[in-house]
Amino acid sequence: MTDHTPPSPSPELWATIDTLWEWLDTNRPVEGREGVLLRILKLSEEVGEVSEAVIGATGQNPRKGVTHTWDDVQSELCDVAITALLALRTLTPQAREVFGRHLERVRERSQASAPR
């Protein structure tokens, strides 16, 4: 019988997220609820940068031409993932467990809907 449980993100990932979160929290210019909301809104900015990189990699803006590479797109997608994990960590110190449980639910749903 094959174990279909996906590997957990590495402990180093979460240690790095905690370190980044501590740094951001120490240097947070806006405190309280507004600070939390701004941390979550940062995701929109990062997603916009992914869009800009895709448009730049495909040369979709005729005035600008090709301004980005697919490596730029990959980097921006990584920034989105990091920002999302930092936002989650801002909402709960149990971010690792919350993310792990959610990832498992998504995996289960995807397997349940897969053709047999």
Side-chain angles (χ1 to χ4, degrees), residues 69-80:
T69 67
W70 289 103
D71 285 343
D72 294 329
V73 175
Q74 291 174 17
S75 292
E76 295 300 344
L77 286 168
C78 289
D79 286 349
V80 169

Side-chain angles (χ1 to χ4, degrees), residues 32-54:
R33 184 176 182 187
E34 285 181 349
V36 172
L37 295 174
L38 289 168
R39 179 99 25 103
I40 293 168
L41 286 175
K42 177 76 171 150
L43 276 167
S44 295
E45 178 187 3
E46 295 297 342
V47 169
E49 291 176 10
V50 171
S51 299
E52 181 180 359
V54 169

Side-chain angles (χ1 to χ4, degrees), residues 108-116:
E108 288 171 0
R109 280 195 318 254
S110 69
Q111 288 186 333
S113 66
R116 305 268 175 194

Side-chain angles (χ1 to χ4, degrees), residues 4-6 102-112:
H4 293 289
T5 304
H102 187 76
L103 183 60
E104 180 60 20
R105 284 193 301 271
V106 170
R107 184 193 67 77
E108 288 171 0
R109 280 195 318 254
S110 69
Q111 288 186 333

